[in-house]
Amino acid sequence: MPTVQHTIVDSPYDALTLVAVDGVLSRIHMTDQRHRPPEETFGERDPRPFTEAVRQLDAYFAGELTVFDLPLKLIGTPFQLRVWELLRLIPYGETRTYGELAEALGSPGASRAVGLANGRNPVSIVVPCHRVIGTSGSLTGYGGGLDRKKRLLAFESGAAPDALF
């Protein structure tokens, strides 16, 4: 039986709940996040497995870190895992469309499937699903809410949130 633990940390985008499976970061949940599982699944509260994740998140929010280097234990379908790996390749401050990601996967007609996998990303921010936008350049869905997505994109680009989209 795997050991599941969690901790809660503050961020500029509300509290984040970090969940580890066998000591490895597996999920990050935002307040009022879509697809947020029940809190009973978060395991015992224990900050010890999260020292490096918290350090890197703090550095990211301080504008000092642009690429996360954390071991992750991601649980998903093979397709989801491929999409999440592509998300990690989107550079800080840049965006990609769902169609561009589908094409990169070798399945140009799979943009809707890419969107569904993107929406199920279990470690938002670290795996930057907020960097994916609609084909027309429009702001589209985000499990943490469109306002958070807009603020994260503005933060990374150095623009005021109201200047985007």
Side-chain angles (χ1 to χ4, degrees), residues 51-125:
T51 304
E52 183 60 16
V54 170
R55 187 193 70 74
Q56 288 190 33
L57 283 164
D58 286 346
Y60 169 80
F61 293 128
E64 301 164 355
L65 181 86
T66 60
V67 177
F68 289 93
D69 182 23
L70 293 168
L72 300 173
K73 186 176 190 102
L74 303 180
I75 300 165
T77 67
F79 182 79
Q80 288 172 330
L81 293 171
R82 287 176 51 214
V83 169
W84 300 337
E85 189 56 39
L86 274 180
L87 295 176
R88 295 183 83 179
L89 300 177
I90 303 171
Y92 180 93
E94 294 185 22
T95 59
R96 299 291 183 271
T97 67
Y98 296 101
E100 288 171 329
L101 293 175
E103 199 154 313
L105 288 170
S107 301
S111 59
R112 176 164 269 151
V114 166
L116 292 172
N118 193 57
R120 291 291 186 168
N121 171 21
V123 284
S124 58
I125 300 173

Side-chain angles (χ1 to χ4, degrees), residues 33-64:
Q33 175 182 337
R34 189 174 8 145
H35 307 301
R36 182 181 168 112
E39 291 190 20
E40 306 84 69
T41 67
F42 297 170
E44 177 185 328
R45 190 164 181 173
D46 184 350
R48 289 176 296 175
F50 305 100
T51 304
E52 183 60 16
V54 170
R55 187 193 70 74
Q56 288 190 33
L57 283 164
D58 286 346
Y60 169 80
F61 293 128
E64 301 164 355

